[in-house]
Amino acid sequence: MPAGALIGLPVSAGTIEGRARVILDMAEADLEAGDILVTTFTDPSWSPLFVGIAGLVTEVGGVMTHGAVMIGTVHRVTFT
């Protein structure tokens, strides 16, 4: 593992590349199509942000959490 690499649990298959956007407050989200949303967790109120993103990284989660299920349904990649 490279120095500084983050380790996570992939909850969907695939590989993506894109600009990582750290968003801690949904109201301040400034995402563009193809961005990778990086946040602590998601709940149903975050769903509108999932439309154009390429992937999702959350600090907390698992296979059956909101972000994993929602992103998985649109064939994106998610890590928790």
Side-chain angles (χ1 to χ4, degrees):
M1 202 48 68
L6 300 176
I7 300 171
L9 168 70
V11 295
S12 60
T15 303
I16 56 162
E17 290 186 21
R19 177 177 67 158
R21 302 285 297 167
V22 177
I23 307 293
L24 301 178
D25 181 354
M26 190 180 101
E28 297 177 8
D30 180 23
L31 296 168
E32 297 178 10
D35 283 351
I36 301 168
L37 172 59
V38 180
T39 192
T40 52
F41 68 94
T42 64
D43 61 39
S45 68
W46 288 72
S47 297
L49 299 180
F50 296 167
V51 174
I53 64 173
L56 173 68
V57 177
T58 58
E59 181 178 356
V60 178
V63 175
M64 294 305 295
T65 57
H66 174 262
V69 171
M70 291 301 297
I71 293 298
T73 62
V74 290
H75 307 290
R76 304 286 200 271
V77 175
T78 213
F79 286 91
T80 59

